[in-house]
PDB file of all heavy atoms in Angstrom:
ATOM      1  N   HIS V 238       3.089   8.131  -0.940  1.00  0.00           N
ATOM      2  CA  HIS V 238       2.678   7.641  -2.187  1.00  0.00           C
ATOM      3  C   HIS V 238       3.853   7.325  -3.055  1.00  0.00           C
ATOM      4  O   HIS V 238       3.785   6.253  -3.948  1.00  0.00           O
ATOM      5  CB  HIS V 238       1.933   8.773  -2.998  1.00  0.00           C
ATOM      6  CG  HIS V 238       0.496   9.078  -2.400  1.00  0.00           C
ATOM      7  ND1 HIS V 238      -0.417   7.958  -2.253  1.00  0.00           N
ATOM      8  CD2 HIS V 238      -0.075  10.075  -1.851  1.00  0.00           C
ATOM      9  CE1 HIS V 238      -1.463   8.504  -1.719  1.00  0.00           C
ATOM     10  NE2 HIS V 238      -1.327   9.750  -1.288  1.00  0.00           N
ATOM     11  N   HIS V 263      -5.503   2.616  -5.886  1.00  0.00           N
ATOM     12  CA  HIS V 263      -5.260   3.979  -6.484  1.00  0.00           C
ATOM     13  C   HIS V 263      -4.844   5.068  -5.435  1.00  0.00           C
ATOM     14  O   HIS V 263      -5.145   4.867  -4.288  1.00  0.00           O
ATOM     15  CB  HIS V 263      -6.711   4.554  -7.167  1.00  0.00           C
ATOM     16  CG  HIS V 263      -7.023   3.627  -8.304  1.00  0.00           C
ATOM     17  ND1 HIS V 263      -6.316   3.441  -9.397  1.00  0.00           N
ATOM     18  CD2 HIS V 263      -8.168   2.751  -8.438  1.00  0.00           C
ATOM     19  CE1 HIS V 263      -6.930   2.542 -10.299  1.00  0.00           C
ATOM     20  NE2 HIS V 263      -7.973   2.211  -9.725  1.00  0.00           N
ATOM     21  N   ARG V 264      -4.187   6.022  -5.962  1.00  0.00           N
ATOM     22  CA  ARG V 264      -3.593   7.095  -5.088  1.00  0.00           C
ATOM     23  C   ARG V 264      -4.702   7.706  -4.158  1.00  0.00           C
ATOM     24  O   ARG V 264      -4.478   7.916  -3.045  1.00  0.00           O
ATOM     25  CB  ARG V 264      -2.868   8.073  -5.930  1.00  0.00           C
ATOM     26  CG  ARG V 264      -2.143   9.208  -5.049  1.00  0.00           C
ATOM     27  CD  ARG V 264      -1.616  10.287  -6.003  1.00  0.00           C
ATOM     28  NE  ARG V 264      -0.461   9.701  -6.789  1.00  0.00           N
ATOM     29  CZ  ARG V 264       0.165  10.395  -7.690  1.00  0.00           C
ATOM     30  NH1 ARG V 264      -0.070  11.774  -7.829  1.00  0.00           N
ATOM     31  NH2 ARG V 264       1.193   9.839  -8.373  1.00  0.00           N
ATOM     32  N   ALA V 265      -5.912   7.909  -4.769  1.00  0.00           N
ATOM     33  CA  ALA V 265      -6.978   8.546  -4.111  1.00  0.00           C
ATOM     34  C   ALA V 265      -7.355   7.779  -2.829  1.00  0.00           C
ATOM     35  O   ALA V 265      -7.903   8.429  -1.868  1.00  0.00           O
ATOM     36  CB  ALA V 265      -8.047   9.006  -4.962  1.00  0.00           C
ATOM     37  N   ASN V 266      -7.286   6.556  -3.039  1.00  0.00           N
ATOM     38  CA  ASN V 266      -7.697   5.637  -1.830  1.00  0.00           C
ATOM     39  C   ASN V 266      -6.609   5.072  -0.962  1.00  0.00           C
ATOM     40  O   ASN V 266      -6.796   4.498   0.120  1.00  0.00           O
ATOM     41  CB  ASN V 266      -8.430   4.331  -2.421  1.00  0.00           C
ATOM     42  CG  ASN V 266      -9.819   4.759  -2.949  1.00  0.00           C
ATOM     43  OD1 ASN V 266      -9.937   5.890  -3.554  1.00  0.00           O
ATOM     44  ND2 ASN V 266     -10.785   3.728  -2.959  1.00  0.00           N
ATOM     45  N   PHE V 267      -5.395   5.320  -1.348  1.00  0.00           N
ATOM     46  CA  PHE V 267      -4.216   4.696  -0.659  1.00  0.00           C
ATOM     47  C   PHE V 267      -3.922   5.368   0.606  1.00  0.00           C
ATOM     48  O   PHE V 267      -3.812   6.655   0.611  1.00  0.00           O
ATOM     49  CB  PHE V 267      -3.023   4.653  -1.567  1.00  0.00           C
ATOM     50  CG  PHE V 267      -1.795   3.935  -1.045  1.00  0.00           C
ATOM     51  CD1 PHE V 267      -1.855   2.601  -0.861  1.00  0.00           C
ATOM     52  CD2 PHE V 267      -0.771   4.683  -0.528  1.00  0.00           C
ATOM     53  CE1 PHE V 267      -0.734   1.859  -0.389  1.00  0.00           C
ATOM     54  CE2 PHE V 267       0.256   3.935  -0.024  1.00  0.00           C
ATOM     55  CZ  PHE V 267       0.302   2.577   0.096  1.00  0.00           C
ATOM     56  N   MET V 278      -8.695   3.177   1.632  1.00  0.00           N
ATOM     57  CA  MET V 278      -9.329   3.993   2.594  1.00  0.00           C
ATOM     58  C   MET V 278     -10.924   3.751   2.557  1.00  0.00           C
ATOM     59  O   MET V 278     -11.603   3.830   3.419  1.00  0.00           O
ATOM     60  CB  MET V 278      -9.041   5.362   2.429  1.00  0.00           C
ATOM     61  CG  MET V 278      -7.824   5.947   3.098  1.00  0.00           C
ATOM     62  SD  MET V 278      -7.993   5.645   4.951  1.00  0.00           S
ATOM     63  CE  MET V 278      -9.430   6.589   5.392  1.00  0.00           C
ATOM     64  N   HIS V 312      -8.854  12.411   5.912  1.00  0.00           N
ATOM     65  CA  HIS V 312      -8.924  11.856   4.450  1.00  0.00           C
ATOM     66  C   HIS V 312     -10.437  12.060   4.059  1.00  0.00           C
ATOM     67  O   HIS V 312     -11.418  11.832   4.720  1.00  0.00           O
ATOM     68  CB  HIS V 312      -8.635  10.434   4.622  1.00  0.00           C
ATOM     69  CG  HIS V 312      -8.264   9.808   3.226  1.00  0.00           C
ATOM     70  ND1 HIS V 312      -9.214   9.548   2.274  1.00  0.00           N
ATOM     71  CD2 HIS V 312      -6.977   9.576   2.664  1.00  0.00           C
ATOM     72  CE1 HIS V 312      -8.789   9.042   1.157  1.00  0.00           C
ATOM     73  NE2 HIS V 312      -7.317   9.077   1.332  1.00  0.00           N
ATOM     74  N   PRO V 313     -10.433  12.364   2.699  1.00  0.00           N
ATOM     75  CA  PRO V 313     -11.822  12.553   2.177  1.00  0.00           C
ATOM     76  C   PRO V 313     -12.814  11.372   2.403  1.00  0.00           C
ATOM     77  O   PRO V 313     -14.004  11.510   2.637  1.00  0.00           O
ATOM     78  CB  PRO V 313     -11.478  12.896   0.697  1.00  0.00           C
ATOM     79  CG  PRO V 313     -10.244  13.415   0.606  1.00  0.00           C
ATOM     80  CD  PRO V 313      -9.367  12.780   1.746  1.00  0.00           C
ATOM     81  N   LEU V 314     -12.161  10.228   2.309  1.00  0.00           N
ATOM     82  CA  LEU V 314     -13.068   8.996   2.438  1.00  0.00           C
ATOM     83  C   LEU V 314     -13.351   8.620   3.989  1.00  0.00           C
ATOM     84  O   LEU V 314     -14.123   7.776   4.153  1.00  0.00           O
ATOM     85  CB  LEU V 314     -12.364   7.769   1.749  1.00  0.00           C
ATOM     86  CG  LEU V 314     -12.253   7.886   0.262  1.00  0.00           C
ATOM     87  CD1 LEU V 314     -11.460   6.706  -0.382  1.00  0.00           C
ATOM     88  CD2 LEU V 314     -13.617   7.954  -0.365  1.00  0.00           C
TER      89      LEU V 314
END
Side-chain angles (χ1 to χ4, degrees):
H238 288 303
H263 296 296
R264 183 182 298 176
N266 287 33
F267 183 76
M278 273 302 301
H312 194 283
L314 295 173

